[in-house]
Amino acid sequence: MMTSLIDLLYASLSNRRLFFGEGWGGLPRLRKLREDGVQKRPPRKIEIHWGAPVERDGAVLQQGTFSSPYTDMPMPEESRTACIELVLPRVSSFTTPLCLHFAATGDEGFIRRRQNLALPLLRDGIGSLILENPYYGVRRPAGQHRKMLRRFSDLWTMGGAAVEEGRSLIQWCRQAGYTRLGVCGISMGGSTAAQVAVLTEQPLAMIGCLTAHSASAVFTQGILKHYIAWDALNRELDGKNGACDLMGAFLGITDIRRYRPPARPEAAFLVAAKNDAYIPVSSARKVHEHWPGSTMHWLDGGHVGAFLFHQSKFRTAIREAFARL
């Protein structure tokens, strides 16, 4: 299939710097974590400190913070406090469906997900909980230029922390009394949502938009492979040109096929783009194939075009997933 020209143009304009310009960020520890594999453990309990609720745009908005439960890798001070925003209808209860939204690459703050997803979903009676990613927005460490992570270990930590924070938030919601929960994300956020869904024993609505089966496919096969500081990474391997293979091996730990399907695969809805330059079509298809009973919708066009022109399709997938829960 032809690669989207919009994707190619956007990638060249939005990636003027390279990812991982400062190298791996601790190869021995990364290798040890890879050898140990994913340690499946219960989600850790969190205590959320809520601000005062505010009524705006026909919704009740409330922001909160909690200490990140992630401990596998050290996080910068700025990233250790997780930030969330709860978006509910003016009249809600614990039976109100609640969808946890994870960030796409470069999606800082709450505004984009609030405007494109959370507020429109209120018309269907679906509330939202939006998580700010580590290394993004108010959690971005000093010296980092926008989304451009300085070390590969930052990517590892960001992904691992977002998953653990998501699992803890789902646990908090259940313990608070919410009975109909779901997870959603676009691009990187979809992969995070998929990880949370398969690591959660209770049924969830799962919505993955432009979702890869593994981060390895994104950084070693998709267009982002052209915007990585391979020279810096290879220098730490004694000049050997093995950085791409090693990165693929590290990121293989995120392969969704390592886990059983979610507890209720019929409530899993996937949306993919036929000409996606970021997420290989074969990678998106692998998620659907590994989850018998899940639903896949294919969009014409590429990754960026889906963001720009098909937000309504993402919202439809969310509504349909909750209807199957």
Side-chain angles (χ1 to χ4, degrees):
M1 295 182 182
M2 292 183 60
T3 299
S4 165
L5 294 178
I6 297 177
D7 284 1
L8 299 177
L9 177 61
Y10 180 81
S12 67
L13 294 175
S14 65
N15 297 296
R16 297 297 179 89
R17 303 188 184 197
L18 299 178
F19 287 97
F20 319 136
E22 295 180 19
W24 293 100
L27 267 176
R29 186 161 188 172
L30 288 167
R31 286 188 167 119
K32 179 66 165 56
L33 288 170
R34 182 200 164 204
E35 290 171 4
D36 292 344
V38 175
Q39 305 298 310
K40 189 171 182 181
R41 56 198 172 208
R44 293 164 178 158
K45 187 174 182 179
I46 55 174
E47 181 180 356
I48 301 177
H49 303 281
W50 292 104
V54 176
E55 286 198 27
R56 192 172 73 215
D57 299 322
V60 177
L61 310 179
Q62 191 172 18
Q63 295 187 357
T65 60
F66 61 93
S67 296
S68 177
Y70 180 77
T71 57
D72 287 356
M73 290 281 280
M75 278 198 290
E77 181 66 32
E78 299 93 332
S79 294
R80 293 176 192 168
T81 299
C83 305
I84 54 175
E85 181 175 82
L86 183 63
V87 182
L88 290 172
R90 284 177 175 167
V91 178
S92 66
S93 69
F94 289 126
T95 62
T96 299
L98 190 60
C99 188
L100 173 56
H101 299 272
F102 295 98
T105 300
D107 186 0
E108 299 189 291
F110 305 125
I111 294 177
R112 187 183 303 173
R113 283 170 286 169
R114 182 200 304 147
Q115 294 299 126
N116 292 335
L117 297 172
L119 292 179
L121 286 171
L122 292 180
R123 293 193 290 268
D124 300 289
I126 299 174
S128 294
L129 187 58
I130 306 171
L131 173 66
E132 173 94 281
N133 250 28
Y135 295 88
Y136 282 176
V138 297
R139 304 181 70 184
R140 187 202 304 166
Q144 178 180 303
H145 180 75
R146 298 183 180 177
K147 66 179 180 181
M148 308 310 292
L149 302 175
R150 294 183 293 170
R151 296 166 290 270
F152 174 78
S153 60
D154 295 343
L155 175 68
W156 182 290
T157 305
M158 179 172 68
V163 170
E164 286 306 303
E165 290 165 12
R167 295 179 68 215
S168 293
L169 282 168
I170 290 295
Q171 176 179 259
W172 182 92
C173 289
R174 288 201 187 279
Q175 292 177 346
Y178 288 97
T179 57
R180 299 187 66 204
L181 298 173
V183 288
C184 174
I186 304 171
S187 193
M188 179 177 68
S191 298
T192 307
Q195 295 279 334
V196 172
V198 298
L199 290 170
T200 301
E201 294 181 359
Q202 299 88 354
L204 293 172
M206 157 61 205
I207 307 92
C209 305
L210 313 175
T211 299
H213 80 288
S214 168
S216 176
V218 178
F219 286 94
T220 68
Q221 299 174 33
I223 196 172
L224 285 184
K225 70 181 179 183
H226 300 298
Y227 300 96
I228 292 175
W230 295 114
D231 288 346
L233 296 169
N234 278 317
R235 277 196 298 272
E236 292 189 44
L237 304 178
D238 300 324
K240 299 175 183 177
N241 295 319
C244 187
D245 289 340
L246 182 57
M247 185 177 293
F250 279 143
L251 294 178
I253 200 169
T254 66
D255 192 324
I256 204 68
R257 297 172 300 176
R258 295 166 58 97
Y259 307 95
R260 297 173 61 183
R264 190 162 294 172
E266 65 271 19
F269 276 70
L270 305 166
V271 182
K274 296 177 182 177
N275 306 114
D276 198 325
Y278 289 82
I279 309 294
V281 168
S282 59
S283 177
R285 190 176 289 118
K286 286 173 183 175
V287 183
H288 178 47
E289 292 172 348
H290 186 59
W291 292 354
S294 62
T295 299
M296 171 71 89
H297 294 305
W298 287 98
L299 304 175
D300 292 327
H303 198 85
V304 177
F307 268 97
L308 295 176
F309 309 121
H310 293 294
Q311 292 284 336
S312 63
K313 302 290 179 57
F314 300 158
R315 295 192 294 269
T316 296
I318 294 170
R319 289 193 292 268
E320 292 180 349
F322 272 98
R324 298 273 187 91
L325 186 63

